[in-house]
Amino acid sequence: RAAALTYQGALDSAREYRLRGFDEVERMLRDNYVTALLRSGEAVQAERQVEYFAGAWPEEWRAPLLMGRLEVYRYDLPAARRQFEVAVQRNPTAAEAHVGIGRALMARNSFEEAERRFRRALRLTEDRSAGAWSGLAMLALSERAGEGRARRFALRALEIDPRDALAHHVVGGLYRRRNDVDGMLYHYRISLQREPNSLPINRMLRRGKSSAAELLAREDLSPPAPLQ
C-alpha cells in the first residue's frame, strides 16, 4: 500500500513532465503504479490505471503488457496471453510478456513451448527474470524426479523477487509432497497475497473445505524449516 501511495504522489506531478515533452516519465510511473496497486490488492484502481494508459498511449507496447498483467491477477491466463502476444509483437524484447505467454502455454500443457518462452525471458534479462525461473520451477515440478530442479529454480526466483507468487506456489507444492501442511500453507498464503485468484491453489483449498480468504486471514503460520 505504501508503494502505491508513493507512485500516486509522483503521478500528481507527472503531468508537468508531459507538458515538457517527457511523457516517458509518466508512462514508466504508471507502469510501476499498476504493479504496486495489484500487489496491494487494489484491482479496481489498477484497472482504471490500465484503461487510462491504453487510452493515452494505445500503440505503446506497455498498454497490452499492463492489460496482460491485470488478467494474470484475475487468473484469466488465455486473456493474458492474447495481450502479452500483442506486447511481444510491438516489442520482442519484453521479457515479462514472454513469461506471461509461457505461463498460459504451461496451463495448456504445452510444456516445450512454455520452456522456450521462459528461457527466452532469461536471455533477455541476463538470468534476472524471477517469473522465468519460477515458470521453469513449475515445469520441473510436473516431471518425474524433477523436485531437485524445481527447488533450485524456485529459490533462484525468490533471490530475485522474494514474494514471487509462482515460486511460492512451487515451494508450497514441495512441502505438500513432504506432507508438511503448515509449510505448504505458509507458502501458498504468500502466493495468494500476489495472486489471490490462483485457480490451482483455490481448487486445492476448496478440496480441504477452506478458501483463499480464510488462508489469507491466518496470522499463525511461521516459516517452515528450509527444504533440503
Side-chain angles (χ1 to χ4, degrees):
R1 178 57 180 159
L5 289 173
T6 299
Y7 286 115
Q8 184 177 27
L11 280 167
D12 289 340
S13 60
R15 295 177 186 84
E16 180 180 346
Y17 286 104
R18 191 194 294 193
L19 291 172
R20 294 178 182 178
F22 297 107
D23 64 343
E24 171 61 21
V25 175
E26 184 178 355
R27 291 199 297 267
M28 182 176 62
L29 286 170
R30 289 192 184 278
D31 182 331
N32 292 333
Y33 188 30
V34 169
T35 297
L37 287 168
L38 290 176
R39 289 181 177 179
S40 61
E42 298 178 72
V44 173
Q45 181 64 16
E47 184 175 6
R48 293 195 188 109
Q49 289 297 320
V50 171
E51 290 173 351
Y52 178 92
F53 195 107
W57 302 284
E59 301 304 318
E60 225 267 359
W61 66 272
R62 274 175 293 198
L65 183 80
L66 295 180
M67 291 180 187
R69 197 180 295 164
L70 183 62
E71 296 297 356
V72 169
Y73 181 87
R74 294 168 172 160
Y75 219 77
D76 187 342
L77 298 184
R81 179 185 177 183
R82 290 192 291 273
Q83 296 296 337
F84 287 136
E85 285 178 340
V86 175
V88 167
Q89 288 171 4
R90 297 180 183 179
N91 179 9
T93 65
E96 180 185 345
H98 285 286
V99 170
I101 294 169
R103 288 191 62 177
L105 288 166
M106 184 167 57
R108 296 186 59 183
N109 296 329
S110 299
F111 299 135
E112 291 184 6
E113 293 180 65
E115 182 175 357
R116 283 197 290 271
R117 291 287 184 169
F118 295 142
R119 295 200 178 279
R120 171 69 171 154
L122 288 175
R123 289 194 297 272
L124 289 168
T125 60
E126 298 181 343
D127 290 348
R128 294 292 301 171
S129 170
W133 283 116
S134 60
L136 291 174
M138 183 61 79
L139 287 175
L141 192 63
S142 68
E143 299 172 0
R144 290 184 179 180
E147 287 191 12
R149 286 184 301 115
R151 173 184 173 277
R152 186 167 68 253
F153 294 157
L155 293 180
R156 181 73 179 94
L158 293 174
E159 287 176 6
I160 300 166
D161 180 358
R163 302 191 74 79
D164 181 84
L166 193 58
H168 280 286
H169 185 169
V170 171
V171 176
L174 291 170
Y175 280 103
R176 184 183 182 189
R177 291 187 179 187
R178 289 159 174 73
N179 295 315
D180 185 337
V181 175
D182 285 345
M184 174 192 74
L185 292 176
Y186 174 84
H187 286 281
Y188 280 176
R189 181 174 183 270
I190 297 175
S191 183
L192 287 170
Q193 288 170 346
R194 281 272 182 96
E195 294 183 5
N197 301 304
S198 169
L199 191 58
I201 294 180
N202 276 276
R203 282 175 175 168
M204 186 278 300
L205 291 172
R206 284 196 294 271
R207 286 197 296 268
K209 309 299 182 184
S210 184
S211 68
E214 290 173 337
L215 179 54
L216 287 168
R218 290 189 60 174
E219 301 288 348
D220 60 316
L221 295 169
S222 301
L227 289 167
Q228 300 298 325

